[in-house]
Amino acid sequence: TMEDLIARGPWDIIIDDGSHVPYHMVFSFFSLWKAVVPGGLYVIEDLETNYWLPGRRVYGYKLSHTGIDTDAAHSAVKKVEQLTKALMRFQLGARGLTVMPGDGDICSVEWGHNLVKIRKCTEEEAAANPTWKTPIFDQQEMEAWIQQAQRTNPRV
């Protein structure tokens, strides 16, 4: 279970090579991110299943809500894209720009061929975060986006 993996940590790197079901990828990341050490990596691979036709099977699971235009509630790719936007919080002066608990620890997101690598800030990087800028965004638009992003989060 996720609790067992967390208890065995903390982990320098976690590579999600699980069921390949997009929703499971998101659930695993939300559950296990807290078990990654500062400076550690969380890698999600086999992202192509996010784009497969609904109804296809992978490891005994029937995929649903997949495809290029699926929403973040069903797509690991879309959820990580939301997390990528949260990286701009300092430069935008958007203190409330958060998608999930712990996303303030994300230092970088790197996309590769069929995978994404999410790196947790080291303690030094976290201490040296950029200074908060004066807010330069539409507050109502930002709040609506944050609410929509958080509504698509898994319940862990």
Side-chain angles (χ1 to χ4, degrees):
T1 67
M2 295 296 167
E3 292 80 23
D4 292 333
L5 290 171
I6 292 167
R8 292 180 187 173
W11 301 95
D12 293 323
I13 184 168
I14 294 175
I15 301 174
D16 181 332
D17 187 22
S19 72
H20 298 53
V21 174
Y23 179 80
H24 294 173
M25 295 173 182
V26 175
F27 183 86
S28 295
F29 176 72
F30 271 62
S31 298
L32 298 174
W33 178 241
K34 62 187 164 206
V36 175
V37 299
L41 300 174
Y42 192 100
V43 179
I44 305 170
E45 50 99 72
D46 292 322
L47 291 173
E48 84 276 1
T49 58
N50 286 264
Y51 302 107
W52 285 7
L53 291 171
R56 299 264 328 248
R57 290 195 168 280
V58 59
Y59 297 116
Y61 294 98
K62 185 176 180 181
L63 296 178
S64 63
H65 304 292
T66 50
I68 194 78
D69 202 28
T70 291
D71 65 14
H74 302 99
S75 170
V77 171
K78 297 285 185 168
K79 182 52 71 177
V80 175
E81 286 173 352
Q82 289 178 340
L83 293 168
T84 302
K85 290 179 182 180
L87 288 173
M88 301 299 126
R89 64 175 55 92
F90 292 101
Q91 291 78 5
L92 294 174
R95 293 177 189 268
L97 180 51
T98 183
V99 175
M100 63 172 268
D103 65 8
D105 296 332
I106 297 173
C107 248
S108 66
V109 175
E110 181 180 343
W111 296 92
H113 181 76
N114 205 27
L115 62 82
V116 64
K117 177 178 70 174
I118 304 161
R119 189 173 64 82
K120 190 174 269 192
C121 297
T122 64
E123 292 174 3
E124 294 79 19
E125 288 170 321
N129 272 331
T131 57
W132 288 99
K133 304 290 184 189
T134 302
I136 52 172
F137 58 90
D138 181 300
Q139 184 68 36
Q140 288 180 319
E141 180 183 42
M142 181 69 71
E143 288 174 6
W145 185 89
I146 292 168
Q147 288 174 4
Q148 183 277 332
Q150 291 176 351
R151 271 194 306 271
T152 61
N153 288 349
R155 302 208 192 294
V156 294

